[in-house]
Amino acid sequence: MYKYNIKELEEKLNICRNMKLEDVSLEDVDEISSIKIDRRKPSNERILDFIAKVKNPYIFKVNGKLVRISFSKNTDLTADDCLTKVLENLYR
């Protein structure tokens, strides 16, 4: 159904989730403005596309500054919900 290797993407998420901002150099992450996602795709596919395209889906550059995103464990939202909201806000 998908062109993505879900197992590989899960492994990538597990590795990247535990990386600390201070252990990452600017060259190791993507500038968020350079990441192009097709807005016509369904949200699940946009999330998969984002995860597949970026070096680290949790750490990226915004105007040359490192940014790390994380998600609260005290919410009813799923990681998919949170990533969808992030992508929607970035790609309006």
Side-chain angles (χ1 to χ4, degrees), residues 53-65:
K53 284 183 177 183
V54 298
K55 295 174 186 171
N56 185 327
Y58 293 97
I59 302 174
F60 44 85
K61 289 183 276 194
V62 177
N63 296 326
K65 304 278 187 200

Side-chain angles (χ1 to χ4, degrees), residues 45-87:
E45 200 167 337
R46 288 194 313 261
I47 292 168
L48 292 171
D49 203 23
F50 176 79
I51 295 168
K53 284 183 177 183
V54 298
K55 295 174 186 171
N56 185 327
Y58 293 97
I59 302 174
F60 44 85
K61 289 183 276 194
V62 177
N63 296 326
K65 304 278 187 200
L66 283 177
V67 175
R68 185 182 199 309
I69 61 169
S70 61
F71 304 100
S72 173
K73 294 178 182 175
N74 301 332
T75 182
D76 293 332
L77 295 174
T78 66
D80 286 345
D81 295 334
C82 294
L83 281 173
T84 298
K85 285 185 179 206
V86 167
L87 292 173

Side-chain angles (χ1 to χ4, degrees), residues 17-63:
R17 180 182 300 121
N18 297 318
M19 292 179 119
K20 295 181 180 176
L21 192 60
E22 54 270 8
D23 295 334
V24 177
S25 69
L26 283 173
E27 296 78 31
D28 295 335
V29 295
D30 301 285
E31 175 69 42
I32 196 73
S33 62
S34 68
I35 301 164
K36 305 298 180 212
I37 304 294
D38 185 350
R39 291 192 231 173
R40 296 172 294 191
K41 292 180 179 180
S43 63
N44 286 347
E45 200 167 337
R46 288 194 313 261
I47 292 168
L48 292 171
D49 203 23
F50 176 79
I51 295 168
K53 284 183 177 183
V54 298
K55 295 174 186 171
N56 185 327
Y58 293 97
I59 302 174
F60 44 85
K61 289 183 276 194
V62 177
N63 296 326

